[in-house]
Amino acid sequence: MLCPTTPTAAPMNTQKPVIAVLCGGRSDTRAVSQHSARAVIESIDRDRYRIVPVGIDPSGAWYVYGGSPDAIANGTWLHSPSLIPAAVSPNRHVHGLVLIANGKKLRLDAALPVLHGSGGEDGGVQGALQLAGVPIVGCGVVGSALCADKILSHRIARDAGIAVAHHAVVRATMQLKTMQEAAALIGYPLYVKPPREGFSLGVSRVARPEQLEAALDLAFSFSGEALIEQEIAGREIGVAALGTTTLPFGVPDEVALHGAVFAYREKHLRETAEVRVPARLADEEEKAVLALAQRLYRLLACTGFARIDLFLDEAGTLFFNEANTIPDLTKRGRFPAMFAAAGISLTGVLTAAIEEAMAR
């Protein structure tokens, strides 16, 4: 069934706020982004809002899309006859999109980027929306940029006295020997990561020195920099956070790995990984987890919603791992599952985030 999403499908004087849902994108995580976008489009309360899907193709072109959410999930939306080329207008009097073919304007009351990874989660799209005066559902420019950059977010956390894994930043222009020496100081096993990719793309666990060069080559294929990071022996704990005033939380979860790195394939397919909700935390541990997540949420300028990932080591120390400003919102996603365990549906989460964005 077609969604009432084209610019002419609803009268322009409708009383419902018009919410753009941005999908697709240029990132290598585009496939997961499209599945998340379908879940969002199907979950937003249609009695309260008019939804306008806006697809971004791999070249970066924007389109208003009027077809089925299923076609967004499987990627066939790119070939839909409903596509209308569009662009964000920097003119705040437009307050939204301009249709390229005829110059018509489509005013937006808010926009929700569902674009995992680089080019969607790093503040660029948010900057275009901010320039246009369109409220952003979720994290804004500053929060998105900080959280997407593991180097900067770790520095901010460390400077605030929050534990982070011992790490070194290396660059592709460095000699291999220099990078090997940095890794030796950290100690094996360790992880090598590109610093600004979503869904753990390009992440490798390196158990022995002879594996380091290949892991660096993989990370450098995404970025000119890489993080060489200490492995924390313990558990990964996730916290789903919503809003900026009362900041309700979902039930914390725990990632249990069975011989695999929790990187892109495992996060999407869950071939060996298990995510437990609730996490196995004593009452005092859970209080500490939620308090640290709230502190990080504010330190990193998050708004709307985010997922804060922590490590709890065997000695009971909490470490900051990363903050995800556009977490996986599919049915298998950790973020919706944590709120579901707290009795809050994805529809409820999205309504709260939309209302918070328009009020802000």
Side-chain angles (χ1 to χ4, degrees):
M1 182 176 70
L2 294 181
C3 302
T5 54
T6 63
T8 57
M12 293 309 294
N13 63 350
T14 176
Q15 296 302 304
K16 295 180 183 178
V18 179
I19 312 299
V21 176
L22 276 54
C23 56
R26 302 178 63 190
S27 168
D28 290 329
T29 59
R30 181 173 56 254
V32 184
S33 299
Q34 291 173 164
H35 282 277
S36 282
R38 175 178 63 178
V40 167
I41 290 168
E42 292 177 342
S43 298
I44 289 179
D45 186 348
R46 297 301 183 95
D47 291 332
R48 297 176 67 113
Y49 310 108
R50 176 184 167 215
I51 310 307
V52 177
V54 177
I56 302 174
D57 75 11
S59 75
W62 291 43
Y63 301 90
V64 173
Y65 169 69
S68 164
D70 289 337
I72 293 175
N74 62 33
T76 58
W77 69 270
L78 289 163
H79 312 293
S80 171
S82 73
L83 295 181
I84 302 173
V88 179
S89 172
N91 186 337
R92 286 186 167 229
H93 294 290
V94 174
H95 207 272
L97 302 174
V98 174
L99 307 185
I100 292 173
N102 56 21
K104 289 186 177 179
K105 302 173 182 63
L106 178 59
R107 182 180 175 85
L108 302 175
D109 292 287
L112 199 173
V114 189
L115 304 163
H116 304 307
S118 59
E121 200 170 355
D122 53 12
V125 164
Q126 291 79 3
L129 295 169
Q130 180 175 292
L131 194 63
V134 176
I136 301 159
V137 182
C139 288
V141 177
V142 175
S144 297
L146 288 178
C147 293
D149 191 319
K150 296 177 180 66
I151 297 171
L152 290 178
S153 61
H154 281 202
R155 186 176 300 161
I156 290 169
R158 183 192 61 206
D159 289 349
I162 297 168
V164 297
H166 183 41
H167 63 274
V169 180
V170 296
R171 295 172 179 82
T173 54
M174 290 180 174
Q175 292 185 347
L176 177 60
K177 182 180 178 181
T178 302
M179 295 185 278
Q180 290 170 331
E181 291 170 350
L185 288 173
I186 291 170
Y188 294 89
L190 51 78
Y191 285 89
V192 175
K193 308 175 179 181
R196 300 173 192 90
E197 286 298 322
F199 252 76
S200 297
L201 280 173
V203 174
S204 302
R205 183 179 185 271
V206 181
R208 301 181 303 277
E210 59 268 26
Q211 299 172 331
L212 180 64
E213 186 174 4
L216 288 167
D217 287 342
L218 175 61
F220 289 144
S221 71
F222 292 93
S223 170
E225 293 181 306
L227 275 173
I228 300 176
E229 188 174 279
Q230 167 196 12
E231 180 178 70
I232 302 297
R235 294 179 283 157
E236 181 174 336
I237 307 295
V239 181
L242 174 64
T244 58
T245 305
T246 57
L247 200 66
F249 294 107
V251 174
D253 75 359
E254 173 184 347
V255 178
L257 293 175
H258 303 286
V261 176
F262 199 49
Y264 178 78
R265 184 177 178 87
E266 275 300 311
K267 287 183 176 183
H268 187 40
L269 299 178
R270 304 272 178 87
E271 292 175 327
T272 62
E274 176 188 359
V275 178
R276 297 170 177 163
V277 185
R280 296 169 299 172
L281 296 170
D283 289 345
E284 290 305 311
E285 289 177 326
E286 182 169 346
K287 289 178 183 177
V289 162
L290 295 178
L292 181 57
Q294 178 171 342
R295 189 177 173 203
L296 284 161
Y297 187 96
R298 301 199 188 287
L299 274 173
L300 297 172
C302 294
T303 52
F305 56 83
R307 194 188 76 229
I308 309 296
D309 292 343
L310 309 171
F311 289 123
L312 178 62
D313 76 2
E314 295 169 346
T317 302
L318 283 168
F319 291 77
F320 170 56
N321 179 24
E322 63 181 3
N324 294 271
T325 57
I326 306 179
D328 183 353
L329 297 171
T330 65
K331 292 180 180 179
R332 294 173 64 84
R334 295 169 62 193
F335 185 90
M338 284 189 268
F339 273 111
I344 305 173
S345 68
L346 182 55
T347 298
V349 169
L350 294 171
T351 296
I354 291 169
E355 293 299 314
E356 188 261 354
M358 292 193 297
R360 175 162 34 88

